[in-house]
Amino acid sequence: MTATTADQLFLRAATELAEQGRMTCAPNPPVGCVIVRGGQIIGRGFHAQAGHGHAEVNARDDAGGDISEATVYVSLEPCAFEGRTPACANMLIEAQVARVVIAANDPHPQVAGAGVSLMRAAGIEVELLPDPLADELITGYVSRITRQRPFVRIKTGSSLDGATALASGQSQWITSSAARADVQYWRARADAIITGVGTVLADDPQLNVRDPRYDQCKQPLRVILDTDLQTPPAAKVLTDGGPTLVVHGRDATDAHQLSRAPNVSTLALDQGPADLASVLSYLAQQGCNEVLVEAGARVCGSFAEQSLWDEWLCYVAPKWLGSQTRPLAEFKVMDLAQAPVGLVKSIERVGDDCRIRVQREAL
């Protein structure tokens, strides 16, 4: 059956529903579902939290349970295995739906086309109708499943001439309050926020979500890259009750002192936190789909130098700070051909500043 304009509209409605679970459903992907019979929507649902009902189940329940001969529009391929919840593909088969329209395939090795195959084998018409918005929703999930590392988003705030602070270290505030409020959205999306011990020592940040618009999301894991365990015991990231992971070298002492706090854990690596690939691999194993890097020039430069970034959020204030400043990122490029290259995804005004979203040239 050829896809129609109505199919596209219903599928986009399902994808927009999925957005409602983006900040709460990790490590699962956000998924939305709309069920239609006779041209009318009879059920809507989205996946809100791991271990709770999947989008298809919630939409079926919203429809009153009877969805026989209906068309199901879902932003991601229905799962084909039983985990903490039953397989949605089997549920749709048992419900005797007539047709399923999917916006994106699921790369999970236990799904990866198996959901589609199960439904087609049962006589259900299944159609894939790709939607870029659905793909964007699951970028972090796809990264974790296929690359065994989260999607890495770096955030920086700088002056027009690329400074993040004066030489003295003064940086509050280069960007506007509107830009700082905008960052709250990206923190709410993140499963973890990575920073260096230098930032902790200089600013004593909380690195948490404080905007009441996102009070339903769980607080991201704060990850402190701290080779020699210099994080002060009274630092906010250790004492405010939010979850924190301190990554250090194996030769560092007194790691057990930090991990005594119920909200604080430690991770020792042979090469210390300089081994960013191992840090990201560990976070993927903990179910992190997206991470946000909010750090100084050295840490941001290390992510760029090691090609371990996927998107850069550059908040730029319309002010000049001159030559006695600290740079945006600290790493060496000996030849222009070796410079990391990105693609501008969007440029938007945020208060008096602008936010530039730059995507790596090759993901």
Side-chain angles (χ1 to χ4, degrees):
M1 183 176 178
T2 304
T4 65
T5 301
D7 286 331
Q8 294 173 334
L9 291 173
F10 286 133
L11 194 56
R12 174 52 64 92
T15 301
E16 290 175 350
L17 268 175
E19 179 71 37
Q20 296 184 41
R22 185 199 283 272
M23 298 177 184
T24 58
C25 68
N28 292 349
V31 183
C33 179
V34 167
I35 301 176
V36 176
R37 186 193 285 138
Q40 300 295 318
I41 294 177
I42 61 172
R44 298 176 176 86
F46 67 93
H47 181 48
Q49 188 175 340
H52 292 205
H54 285 192
E56 299 93 325
V57 172
N58 292 336
R60 177 203 62 189
D61 293 346
D62 185 54
D66 178 12
I67 56 173
S68 61
E69 300 305 316
T71 297
V72 176
Y73 296 89
V74 61
S75 63
L76 185 67
E77 177 183 3
C79 58
F81 66 98
E82 184 166 339
R84 284 187 279 182
T85 58
C88 291
N90 287 333
M91 181 277 289
L92 295 174
I93 291 168
E94 293 169 4
Q96 299 181 337
V97 303
R99 183 169 175 247
V100 177
V101 184
I102 300 166
N105 286 319
D106 190 336
H108 194 289
Q110 291 181 280
V111 186
V116 170
S117 296
L118 277 173
M119 292 185 293
R120 283 178 173 163
I124 297 173
E125 180 187 345
V126 181
E127 185 166 359
L128 177 65
L129 190 58
D131 185 344
L133 181 59
D135 289 334
E136 194 279 331
L137 274 170
I138 60 172
T139 300
Y141 169 75
V142 171
S143 177
R144 180 173 64 82
I145 295 299
T146 63
R147 300 189 294 178
Q148 289 74 56
R149 75 161 176 83
F151 183 92
V152 176
R153 181 176 287 112
I154 298 174
K155 169 263 170 183
T156 56
S158 67
S159 63
L160 203 57
D161 50 351
T164 58
L166 297 177
S168 65
Q170 182 183 356
S171 61
Q172 296 182 341
W173 297 102
I174 291 176
T175 54
S176 66
S177 58
R180 297 193 296 277
D182 191 64
V183 172
Q184 288 287 302
Y185 166 78
W186 300 101
R187 286 185 182 180
R189 276 185 55 160
D191 302 305
I193 298 175
I194 299 176
T195 196
V197 67
T199 297
V200 175
L201 292 171
D203 301 332
D204 194 20
Q206 286 184 275
L207 298 175
N208 59 2
V209 180
R210 297 185 293 276
D211 192 317
R213 291 177 297 173
Y214 312 120
D215 58 5
Q216 296 302 311
C217 77
K218 65 180 180 181
Q219 289 293 338
L221 173 70
R222 283 84 57 90
V223 181
I224 314 302
L225 306 180
D226 185 1
T227 302
D228 300 315
L229 291 175
Q230 301 176 68
T231 303
K236 291 175 183 173
V237 291
L238 300 183
T239 59
D240 66 2
T244 299
L245 170 71
V246 181
V247 183
H248 60 89
R250 292 205 183 273
D251 294 335
T253 59
D254 296 330
H256 65 283
Q257 297 286 347
L258 294 178
S259 60
R260 284 179 181 173
N263 60 301
V264 179
S265 57
T266 59
L267 173 65
L269 297 175
D270 290 338
Q271 299 177 46
D275 184 2
L276 294 177
S278 290
V279 174
L280 294 176
S281 176
Y282 177 83
L283 292 177
Q285 293 168 26
Q286 304 308 302
C288 294
N289 292 329
E290 294 187 13
V291 301
L292 182 65
V293 178
E294 292 194 55
R298 186 173 299 176
V299 171
C300 289
S302 295
F303 275 95
E305 193 171 31
Q306 296 178 40
S307 297
L308 291 173
W309 66 284
D310 301 301
E311 185 174 285
W312 204 305
L313 295 176
C314 304
Y315 292 87
V316 181
K319 60 183 68 170
W320 292 261
L321 297 185
S323 59
Q324 302 302 306
T325 56
R326 297 185 180 183
L328 191 73
E330 200 173 286
F331 64 101
K332 293 181 179 179
V333 175
M334 306 307 295
D335 188 286
L336 282 177
Q338 299 173 348
V341 177
L343 300 172
V344 175
K345 191 172 181 179
S346 66
I347 302 176
E348 296 182 37
R349 182 168 179 173
V350 180
D352 294 330
D353 307 325
C354 76
R355 183 191 66 210
I356 307 171
R357 292 181 69 183
V358 179
Q359 181 178 290
R360 267 188 64 194
E361 187 174 45
L363 294 180

